Amino acid sequence: MKFLVLTDLHGKESAMDWINPLIEREGIGCVLFLGDAVQLPCEVKESVRMISLIKAPRILALPGNIDDPSLPENLGDAAEDMHGVGKEVGGIYIAGCGGSNPTIFDTPCEFPEEEIYDFLDPVSKEGMVLMVHCPAYGHRDHIPNGMSVGSKSVLEIVEKYHPRIVFSGHIHEDLGSEECDGTLFVNPGPAMDGRCAIFDSEDMSVRILGPTD
């Protein structure tokens, strides 16, 4: 199955002009949406509306730190909630956690590190694919001054369960991919800027696409 990985739409409705044709052109079977559907001030109905504009056979979604924390229970038919959830999709096991660890901005959907661990540990499995809004500490989590601001609990989960791939967003500036100890860490970059990734579960390949691709 081909997955389209999207994150950080931040209310840019015009992004659907390239997202939905890409879904059709690439034969995407499922979208992994990693959160931040809207800008502040967030309204849960607007986050749901933005996600519902994505036209895919199946959408698995997380809240970002900008989204209302009640998004998971309000997704309705727009998408499947993956916040603290694990499930088999396209022959692979995927586990998810939305929101972020605490930030200096005090955004709506932030959690203490202990809660992030408690969301993920019960649903994690060895060799899974992990979809999170906030990256693991030290991996695709660097802000412009070079500081790492990712989640130490996500890193702890990675070190315990050795996922094949970790998809994250949140840190717009640290897009790209890196491999460490058998785990591929991928930040596709913000969809509001025309960025995404395509993941093929057959060969576990990942392509990061930019606005000119």
Side-chain angles (χ1 to χ4, degrees):
M1 179 183 283
K2 279 188 180 181
F3 294 79
L4 179 63
V5 185
L6 298 170
T7 186
D8 298 278
L9 271 169
H10 289 291
K12 192 167 184 180
E13 193 168 327
S14 63
M16 301 306 155
D17 294 344
W18 64 265
I19 289 172
N20 289 328
L22 181 64
I23 289 170
E24 184 173 358
R25 185 169 69 248
E26 290 282 346
I28 298 297
C30 184
V31 167
L32 305 182
F33 181 69
L34 308 182
D36 279 359
V38 295
Q39 294 276 39
L40 290 172
C42 66
E43 291 186 9
V44 68
K45 289 182 179 179
E46 183 60 14
S47 292
V48 173
R49 188 186 74 83
M50 281 297 301
I51 294 169
S52 72
L53 296 176
I54 302 169
K55 304 305 179 187
R58 193 171 182 182
I59 302 172
L60 310 183
L62 299 171
N65 63 298
I66 299 295
D67 295 306
D68 190 290
S70 70
L71 178 62
E73 58 261 40
N74 283 286
L75 282 168
D77 295 331
E80 298 170 47
D81 170 35
M82 286 297 292
H83 182 51
V85 175
K87 61 179 67 176
E88 293 273 348
V89 184
I92 57 170
Y93 184 80
I94 303 175
C97 180
S100 77
N101 53 326
T103 75
I104 62 171
F105 304 106
D106 193 26
T107 50
C109 194
E110 299 180 6
F111 303 102
E113 289 282 6
E114 311 83 65
E115 286 190 33
I116 293 172
Y117 187 88
D118 289 344
F119 284 134
L120 277 175
D121 189 53
V123 299
S124 292
K125 292 184 179 182
E126 185 78 17
M128 64 185 167
V129 169
L130 184 58
M131 57 181 289
V132 286
H133 181 67
C134 181
Y137 183 82
H139 299 282
R140 315 316 306 184
D141 72 331
H142 297 90
I143 57 177
N145 68 4
M147 183 183 297
S148 285
V149 295
S151 167
K152 293 183 179 179
S153 289
V154 173
L155 178 60
E156 191 174 351
I157 291 292
V158 168
E159 292 174 342
K160 182 176 180 179
Y161 292 100
H162 311 102
R164 299 279 298 277
I165 303 174
V166 177
F167 290 112
S168 65
H170 188 47
I171 308 302
H172 296 197
E173 304 89 351
D174 204 0
L175 61 93
S177 65
E178 63 184 80
E179 189 167 350
C180 181
D181 296 330
T183 296
L184 181 66
F185 296 87
V186 180
N187 177 349
M192 65 181 288
D193 294 336
R195 301 189 180 278
C196 65
I198 294 177
F199 163 51
D200 192 327
S201 61
E202 282 197 20
D203 59 8
M204 300 300 285
S205 63
V206 178
R207 287 184 287 145
I208 296 177
L209 305 179
T212 60
D213 295 309

